Amino acid sequence: MTKLQQQITLPNGLVYTQPLGLFINNEFVAAKSGKTFDVINPATEELLASVQEAGVEDIDAAVDAAEAAFNDGVWAKQEPLERGILLNKLADAIEAEADLFSAIESSDNGKALWSAQGDVALAIKYFRSTAGWADKIRGSIVDSGETHLNLIKREPLGVVGQIIPWNFPLLMLSWKLGPALATGNTVVLKSAESTPLSALYLGTLIKKVGFPPGVVNIVSGFGRPAGDAITKHQRIKKVAFTGSTAVGRQVLKNAAESNLKKVTLELGGKSPNIVFADADVADAVKHIIVGIYYNAGEVCCAGSRVYVQDTVYDKVLAEFKVAAEKVKVGDPFEEGVFQGAQTSEKQLNSILNYIKVGKEEGARVITGGERFGTKGYFIKPTIFGDVTEEMKIVKEEIFGPVVSITKFSTVDEAVKLANNSNYGLAAGVHTADLNRAIDVSGRIKAGTIWVNTYNDFHHMVPFGGYGESGVGRELGAEALENYTQVKAVRVGLKKVFK
Amino acid sequence: MSLSTTIKLPNGKEYEQPLGLFIGGEYITPEVDSKITVINPSNEEVITEVYAGDKADIDKAVVAARKAFESPEWRGIAASARGDYLYKIAQIIDRDRELIASIDSIDNGKPLPECVEGDLEEAYNVFKYYAGFADKITGKTIETSPEKLAYTVQEPLGVCGQIIPWNYPFMMLAWKVAPALCCGNTVILKPSEVTPLSALYFGKICQEAGLPAGVVNVVNGYGKTAGAALSEHTGVDKIAFTGSTASGKLIMKAAANNLKNVTLECGGKNPLIIFDDAELDQAVKWARIGIFDNKGEVCTSTSRIYVQEAIYDKFLEEFVAHIKDVTVVADPFGENTTQGPQVSKMQYEKVLSYIESGKAEGAKLAYGGAKASEKGYFLNPTVFSDVQEDMKINKEEIFGPVVAVSKFSTVEEVVQKANDTSYGLAAALFSQNVTQCVTVASKLQAGMVWINSNNDSHFGIPFGGYKSSGIGRELGPYALDAYTQTKAVHINVGLRV
C-alpha cells in the first residue's frame, strides 16, 4: 500500500503529519512509478521518511494541472488583487505554524534551530512583500504622436518550472513562489532531493488557504529524471533554477534544445571578503565568521576567500582563528549551537575531499580541517593559510565551512585578486574610508557588494550574479521581470478630427 | 457631555460611538466646549452631538503628530513594519465592515448594501494596497560622472493635514490616511462636520491595531475654524483637501504662508459623450450610474450628457424609462433602496434651487424635478433635456441627482463643448470605434476618461483633475508622490578643488 503520509516526531518533541506524496492539483498523490527515496536527518544520520519520487509522467501531470489552471481556471480569470490576498493568507498560515516549520527545516537540513527560525521568518515576510506586488504590476505608454497609441504591457508567462536547492529549502521556495504567483503564473516546483519535507508540508497550506487547484504543484525528486523533465518540457515557459554552476549549464542546454524557455539561474560563487587596514578589526572578523560559517558554509554567496591587507594581516588572522574556534558546532536543536550539520553525506564527503586536496596542494590548516564527531555530518570550522591563487581550494566552490586567507598590499592588488574568478556572486569590503568603499565596490565584478557587513539581505534589494554565478536577479522589484514578459500593443489611429 | 455614547442603528445594531477629539492616541474634550449636531438626513432627526475642535485643538494635534513623526516607534521602524500596521487596520475594517457601513449610511444617507459593497470594500482594499507598498518606496541611483555617486531618497513630508468631504466619509478617510502612513508621515484628519461619525470611530481602530499614539489624529470641526487652522498652521508640512473648488482656493491661499505642500481634489462638471455608434443599452445604464449613484453627490458625476443627434431622441426615451424602472428613492436601510436622501438640508435646498433655475431658464424637464417626500432630504432623480450651453444647470456643479442633456452633431463640436469649463476632473464616452474612442480621450481636458463605462474607478489607477478640478493625484502609486519628497544626495568621489 502506498504510504502518502506519516506521523513524525521531531527531535524537540513536536509531532506532526508529514505528507509524502507529490502535490499535484491540490492533492497528494503517489508517483506513477511507485518509486520512493529516503530522507535522512543529517545530524543523526537517521531515516526521517520516505517520500514519493517524481518521474517524467508525474511532471507531465503537474504541467497539465498548471496549464489548465493558467488557461481556463479561476486563477486566470480573477483580479490580481485576489492573488495578493492568497499570498497574504499563505504567509499568515505559515506564521501560525512557524515553530513546526522551523523544526522540520532543522531536522531535514541540519541547520541550527535559531537559523531555521530566521529562515521561516524571512519566508513569511517575503510572501507578504510579494503579496503587495500582485495588484501593482504596471507597464507604460509611449507617446509617439497622434497617429498611434502605444501600450507596453507586462503579462505573465504561463506555467513556470522552479527547481530549488537544499541549503535554505523553505526560504528559497518563497523566493521562487512569491513573485511567480504575484504576477499570475502557475507553478511546477521541484524541491531538492536532500530536503523535500518543508515544501511538501507547505502543500497542505496551499490547499488550506484556498489557492485554486493546479496553481501550485510541488514535487519531490532528483535532477534526473524530474529536474530534466522540467527543464526539457515543451509546455513549461520558463525555468528558474538555484544550484551549482555545473547543473545550471545543463539547465540552459535543456532549455535551448527544447522550446527556448526563459531561464534564470542563481548559481555558485567563490566570493571574496576583503579587509583593508583601516577597517574595524573586531567588526570585520564578525562578518568574516558569518560570511563562511553561517549555515555551515552552505551558502552560494559565502565569503570563502578572505583577503587581508598586509599591515593588519597578523592581527586579523589571530582574531579570526580565535573566533573560528569559538564557533559551537553540534546538534541543531541544542541551545547555543551556531553551526549545524552539513546537509547530506554526499556534501560532507565532498567538503572533506576538498580539505584533503588542500592539504595535498600544500596549504596550511590554521584551524579545523577535519570532521567533528563521528555521528552526523559535522565539520569543524576550517581556515587554510599559505594558499596560492592556483590551488583548487581557492578556485573551486567548496560549499562548506572552509575558507582560505591571503594577504595583499595595494587596493589594485585586492581588486585584481577579488576579480580573479569566473564567478561573480558577491563580495565583502571592510573599510572605514567612504571613497575607498565606493571605488572598490565600483570595480569588483559581483552582483552584490557588502560594505562593512556580509550575508546581509533585504527582500527589496536584488540578488544575483555576474559571470558564471548566474543569469537574472531575485528579490527587489527586479524579481517581477523574471516572471513577466513585455507585450507591446501599437494601435494605428485613423484621423478622426478635421 | 460624555466622551462616547451608545447609538442604536435602524437595523437594530448598537455600538459605542466616540464623541471626542482623537489626539495623541486618546479621545479628549476640546479646549473650548463646542459641539456639532449630527443630523440623520433620512428623517431630519438628531443622531447625536459630537465635540468640535478649533485652533487650540489643532495646535495640540500638531504637537502630538510631530512628536509621533520623530519618535523611534514610527520614524525608527522598518518600512515593512508600517505596512504591517496598515494590514492590521485593513483586517479590522474587514471584520467591522457592516458596522462601519451602517454608521456612514445613517450619517450620509447612502443605501446600506451599496455602502458595504462599495465604500467599505474600497476602504479595505485601499488600506491593503498601501500596506503592500510600504516596503517598495525606492529611490534611484543616477549615473552622471565617475566623480559623483548620486542617489535619491523618497522621504516622508512630516505632519500632514487632511480635510475630507461628506460624500464617501470612510472611503475618503482611507484614500487619505493609508498612503500618508505608508510613506511614513503622521496625520491630522479633519472630517466633514456633516458626517463626522465614522472618522471618529476610526480612532478606535487605530487603538486596536496598536498604531503608535499621535500617528493618526482626528479633529472634528468646521472648515472655517478647525479646517482653516490646519491649513495655515506653520507646523504642518502638507495639506490635502477634497471638497469644493471654492474651499480649495481658500485652503491653497492659507497654505501659502509656509509654502506647505498642497494637493486638492475639487469639483467637476463632467461630460458624458454618447456617439451614434455607441451600444445604446449600455450607454443608458452607465449614464444613470454616472449621475444618480450616491444621489449625485460625487465629484466625478457626469452631470452633462451630450448625445449625437441621430440617437438623441431614442437615448432620452430609453434613459427616462430605465430610471423609472430601477430607481427606488427611500430609506438607506430599506431593502430595495437605490437612492437615499441628500446629505444635509443645505445640500437639499441648493439642489432644489438649481432645479428651479433649470425650469426658469427654459430647459425641458424630461423627468423628476421635485422633492420625493415630506420628511427627510429625498429628491427625485431629475433629467433636463434640450439644455443650452450657457444655462446654469449646464455650467455649475450642482452636486445632486440632476443631469443636463443636449445634442451634438460633430466630434469637433462635442469636444469643444466638453472642454468649455474651468473644471477638468473626469469624462466618459461611448462609442464602438477604437480610433474615435482613443483620439477623443486624448483631446479631453480631464484627469480621468472612461471609455464605455462611467465612474468606474479603481484604487490602483490615479484619480485627480485638470484645471480647477484640483492639484495632484490620489490612488495607485501616484499617491506616493503626494506623500513623499525627494532628497538628492551627491557623494563627491575625488573631485578636488
Side-chain angles (χ1 to χ4, degrees):
Chain A
M1 202 191 77
T2 318
K3 201 158 159 219
L4 287 183
Q5 60 186 41
Q6 176 180 321
Q7 235 196 26
I8 294 185
T9 304
L10 294 166
N12 61 355
L14 278 175
V15 183
Y16 77 108
T17 305
Q18 170 69 47
L20 306 173
L22 309 175
F23 183 69
I24 297 176
N25 227 16
N26 271 12
E27 296 303 331
F28 286 98
V29 297
K32 294 232 164 40
S33 67
K35 279 179 157 187
T36 62
F37 64 95
D38 290 341
V39 185
I40 305 290
N41 177 336
T44 61
E45 301 183 36
E46 283 162 12
L47 177 70
L48 280 167
S50 296
V51 300
Q52 296 289 308
E53 183 197 333
V56 176
E57 291 174 299
D58 305 299
I59 298 299
D60 275 339
V63 172
D64 286 343
E67 204 173 44
F70 184 77
N71 287 337
D72 320 310
V74 171
W75 186 249
K77 297 193 178 87
Q78 70 190 1
E79 274 188 51
L81 176 65
E82 297 300 318
R83 303 198 290 255
I85 289 174
L86 286 171
L87 282 166
N88 261 325
K89 279 190 175 156
L90 184 63
D92 291 342
I94 297 171
E95 192 170 46
E97 298 193 82
D99 285 342
L100 176 58
F101 267 107
S102 306
I104 295 173
E105 204 79 323
S106 276
S107 306
D108 202 357
N109 166 284
K111 61 177 72 199
L113 186 63
W114 70 267
S115 179
Q117 287 164 341
D119 289 6
V120 174
L122 287 174
I124 292 165
K125 207 165 178 181
Y126 192 55
F127 275 122
R128 290 211 169 107
S129 186
T130 52
W133 277 120
D135 56 359
K136 299 175 180 65
I137 310 297
R138 289 178 299 151
S140 53
I141 301 286
V142 169
D143 182 357
S144 71
E146 281 193 347
T147 53
H148 290 81
L149 173 66
N150 306 299
L151 299 162
I152 298 163
K153 299 177 63 190
R154 285 209 152 267
E155 302 189 341
L157 298 165
V159 177
V160 305
Q162 306 185 313
I163 300 172
I164 58 174
W166 41 257
N167 57 347
F168 295 88
L170 189 70
L171 182 59
M172 290 296 101
L173 183 151
S174 72
W175 283 24
K176 295 280 184 286
L177 270 195
L181 295 175
T183 46
N185 302 279
T186 55
V187 175
V188 174
L189 182 141
K190 185 193 89 62
S191 59
E193 60 269 23
S194 314
T195 55
L197 300 185
S198 58
L200 288 178
Y201 192 77
L202 188 86
T204 63
L205 300 185
I206 295 275
K207 183 173 184 178
K208 192 164 157 196
V209 305
F211 277 90
V215 173
V216 180
N217 305 277
I218 298 172
V219 302
S220 321
F222 292 81
R224 292 203 164 99
D228 268 357
I230 290 173
T231 56
K232 288 180 178 162
H233 208 287
Q234 291 290 345
R235 287 178 288 138
I236 288 180
K237 302 299 184 197
K238 182 243 164 62
V239 66
F241 169 82
T242 298
S244 70
T245 294
V247 178
R249 266 188 237 282
Q250 190 60 44
V251 170
L252 255 180
K253 268 200 207 139
N254 289 351
E257 282 166 8
S258 54
N259 64 345
L260 273 185
K261 55 174 67 60
K262 318 268 177 282
V263 180
T264 47
L265 305 169
E266 291 284 350
L267 305 175
K270 192 72 184 181
S271 304
N273 210 345
I274 307 166
V275 184
F276 286 94
D278 66 340
D280 179 315
V281 173
D283 274 354
V285 167
K286 278 201 193 103
H287 295 304
I288 293 174
I289 292 282
V290 164
I292 188 59
Y293 301 126
Y294 171 68
N295 215 47
E298 292 173 351
V299 184
C300 47
C301 49
S304 48
R305 294 183 284 149
V306 174
Y307 296 104
V308 184
Q309 200 154 27
D310 41 18
T311 47
V312 294
Y313 180 81
D314 291 335
K315 181 166 199 261
V316 170
L317 177 55
E319 292 194 25
F320 180 29
K321 179 172 189 281
V322 167
E325 286 166 0
K326 276 209 183 101
V327 169
K328 186 159 183 209
V329 181
D331 178 349
F333 287 86
E334 193 187 314
E335 275 281 320
V337 164
F338 179 84
Q339 184 183 311
Q342 308 309 131
T343 302
S344 66
E345 190 178 9
K346 185 166 156 212
Q347 198 51 29
L348 172 81
N349 290 335
S350 169
I351 300 164
L352 288 174
N353 189 53
Y354 271 109
I355 292 174
K356 177 162 164 279
V357 166
K359 291 172 185 170
E360 282 164 4
E361 286 189 313
R364 179 169 64 97
V365 175
I366 293 172
T367 184
E370 61 188 358
R371 195 171 168 175
F372 175 81
T374 49
K375 190 146 196 248
Y377 312 133
F378 299 96
I379 294 184
K380 291 184 182 170
T382 300
I383 306 175
F384 271 111
D386 298 349
V387 298
T388 65
E389 288 292 293
E390 282 65 51
M391 287 182 183
K392 273 184 127 173
I393 56 169
V394 179
K395 293 203 87 59
E396 294 178 21
E397 186 180 39
I398 299 173
F399 222 68
V402 178
V403 69
S404 62
I405 185 163
T406 315
K407 68 171 79 153
F408 69 90
S409 25
T410 65
V411 175
D412 288 347
E413 196 189 336
V415 170
K416 190 154 175 238
L417 289 165
N419 287 336
N420 184 26
S421 169
N422 288 338
Y423 290 118
L425 192 48
V429 177
H430 303 275
T431 174
D433 185 294
L434 177 65
N435 282 359
R436 171 148 39 220
I438 292 171
D439 174 50
V440 171
S441 52
R443 291 161 65 187
I444 294 182
K445 296 182 175 41
T448 297
I449 314 283
W450 281 300
V451 178
N452 295 332
T453 182
Y454 206 87
N455 271 339
D456 188 359
F457 291 80
H458 186 275
H459 63 269
M460 277 304 293
V461 180
F463 179 83
Y466 278 43
E468 290 177 21
S469 286
V471 174
R473 293 291 177 270
E474 294 194 285
L475 303 184
E478 285 73 5
L480 304 177
E481 285 167 36
N482 299 336
Y483 293 100
T484 56
Q485 49 197 344
V486 169
K487 173 181 282 176
V489 179
R490 185 156 153 83
V491 182
L493 305 173
K494 259 171 48 182
K495 216 165 149 55
V496 164
F497 286 82
K498 296 197 183 51
Chain B
M1 185 171 87
S2 123
L3 280 173
S4 85
T5 188
T6 309
I7 291 187
K8 189 166 179 186
L9 295 159
N11 58 7
K13 273 204 221 311
E14 265 188 18
Y15 75 103
E16 278 303 299
Q17 170 66 49
L19 306 173
L21 312 178
F22 185 68
I23 296 177
E26 288 173 357
Y27 287 98
I28 58 176
T29 54
E31 290 288 298
V32 174
D33 187 19
S34 166
K35 300 188 190 67
I36 289 171
T37 308
V38 186
I39 306 285
N40 179 342
S42 304
N43 56 20
E44 305 180 38
E45 285 165 14
V46 174
I47 302 173
T48 180
E49 285 187 314
V50 298
Y51 281 110
D54 202 328
K55 188 170 180 316
D57 309 293
I58 293 294
D59 285 343
K60 230 190 228 167
V62 172
V63 169
R66 176 68 53 194
K67 184 162 173 234
F69 178 68
E70 284 165 4
S71 71
E73 289 82 16
W74 189 244
R75 198 75 192 275
I77 62 178
S80 53
R82 296 199 299 264
D84 291 342
Y85 281 121
L86 288 168
Y87 185 59
K88 217 165 188 182
I89 289 173
Q91 290 181 304
I92 297 169
I93 291 171
D94 192 24
R95 182 194 72 198
D96 290 353
R97 63 166 81 194
E98 284 276 343
L99 172 60
I100 301 168
S102 302
I103 298 173
D104 267 2
S105 279
I106 195 180
D107 206 353
N108 164 284
K110 59 178 71 203
L112 179 61
E114 202 179 283
C115 195
V116 172
E117 286 152 34
D119 297 40
L120 265 295
E121 175 72 4
E122 172 87 357
Y124 165 63
N125 283 330
V126 166
F127 270 103
K128 205 145 45 70
Y129 180 88
Y130 290 105
F133 241 139
D135 63 348
K136 298 173 178 65
I137 299 170
T138 52
K140 298 193 202 306
T141 59
I142 302 172
E143 296 300 322
T144 52
S145 86
E147 287 161 339
K148 190 189 283 288
L149 173 64
Y151 62 90
T152 61
V153 194
Q154 295 300 118
E155 299 191 343
L157 295 164
V159 173
C160 300
Q162 307 185 311
I163 301 174
I164 57 176
W166 43 256
N167 57 347
Y168 294 87
F170 197 73
M171 191 176 106
M172 290 290 102
L173 180 154
W175 281 28
K176 296 274 185 292
V177 173
L181 265 46
C182 169
C183 298
N185 302 282
T186 56
V187 310
I188 300 167
L189 188 81
K190 189 203 88 61
S192 166
E193 62 271 23
V194 179
T195 54
L197 301 181
S198 58
L200 291 179
Y201 186 83
F202 183 65
K204 292 213 296 199
I205 294 177
C206 293
Q207 286 171 332
E208 187 182 343
L211 198 62
V215 171
V216 168
N217 305 277
V218 181
V219 179
N220 221 359
Y222 290 94
K224 287 197 169 68
T225 50
L230 192 53
S231 310
E232 67 196 19
H233 202 297
T234 53
V236 168
D237 301 295
K238 178 211 172 75
I239 192 91
F241 167 79
T242 297
S244 70
T245 294
S247 300
K249 289 181 184 176
L250 292 173
I251 286 169
M252 195 168 167
K253 273 195 212 150
N257 64 350
N258 68 337
L259 282 186
K260 57 171 70 58
N261 181 305
V262 176
T263 48
L264 307 170
E265 289 288 347
C266 297
K269 190 69 186 180
N270 313 295
L272 162 58
I273 303 171
I274 303 177
F275 288 95
D276 56 22
D277 69 337
E279 205 184 325
L280 192 58
D281 170 65
Q282 285 296 299
V284 162
K285 292 188 169 133
W286 285 105
R288 189 200 70 80
I289 287 169
I291 184 59
F292 299 124
D293 254 18
N294 211 47
K295 42 217 166 85
E297 290 169 345
V298 190
C299 48
T300 48
S301 289
T302 44
S303 47
R304 297 184 280 156
I305 304 180
Y306 295 101
V307 187
Q308 203 155 28
E309 53 198 352
I311 54 164
Y312 179 73
D313 292 327
K314 188 148 199 280
F315 170 78
L316 269 171
E317 189 189 313
E318 293 193 18
F319 186 43
V320 167
H322 178 61
I323 294 164
K324 258 194 203 134
D325 189 34
V326 306
T327 305
V328 175
V329 179
D331 185 314
F333 287 82
E335 282 274 304
N336 301 313
T337 305
T338 65
Q339 185 179 315
Q342 304 313 117
V343 75
S344 68
K345 185 160 191 230
M346 193 174 99
Q347 275 309 112
Y348 173 70
E349 287 174 349
K350 185 161 157 227
V351 177
L352 279 170
S353 86
Y354 273 109
I355 291 174
E356 290 317 303
S357 128
K359 291 175 186 166
E361 285 190 308
K364 187 155 153 219
L365 185 62
Y367 186 81
K371 61 184 183 182
S373 68
E374 281 313 307
K375 195 132 200 262
Y377 310 130
F378 296 91
L379 288 172
N380 279 319
T382 297
V383 181
F384 281 108
S385 59
D386 298 352
V387 172
Q388 303 294 323
E389 272 302 288
D390 52 4
M391 289 180 180
K392 265 182 107 173
I393 55 169
N394 200 54
K395 295 224 86 61
E396 295 179 24
E397 186 180 38
I398 300 172
F399 224 70
V402 178
V403 68
V405 187
S406 60
K407 68 169 76 140
F408 72 93
S409 34
T410 65
V411 65
E412 290 85 356
E413 178 199 341
V414 75
V415 167
Q416 189 270 323
K417 282 177 171 166
N419 288 337
D420 184 19
T421 166
S422 61
Y423 291 118
L425 189 53
L429 67 99
F430 280 77
S431 163
Q432 294 297 103
N433 180 314
V434 163
T435 305
Q436 178 158 255
C437 291
V438 168
T439 311
V440 171
S442 73
K443 298 262 184 258
L444 290 170
Q445 290 161 2
M448 291 161 284
V449 181
W450 289 293
I451 297 177
N452 295 331
S453 75
N454 198 349
N455 270 274
D456 191 12
S457 299
H458 183 278
F459 55 83
I461 302 177
F463 186 102
Y466 280 30
K467 307 192 306 193
S468 297
S469 284
I471 294 176
R473 292 292 177 270
E474 296 194 278
L475 300 183
Y478 295 81
L480 304 181
D481 291 335
Y483 287 99
T484 57
Q485 51 193 342
T486 306
K487 172 182 288 175
V489 180
H490 305 235
I491 302 182
N492 181 13
V493 194
L495 178 66
R496 306 189 68 73
V497 293

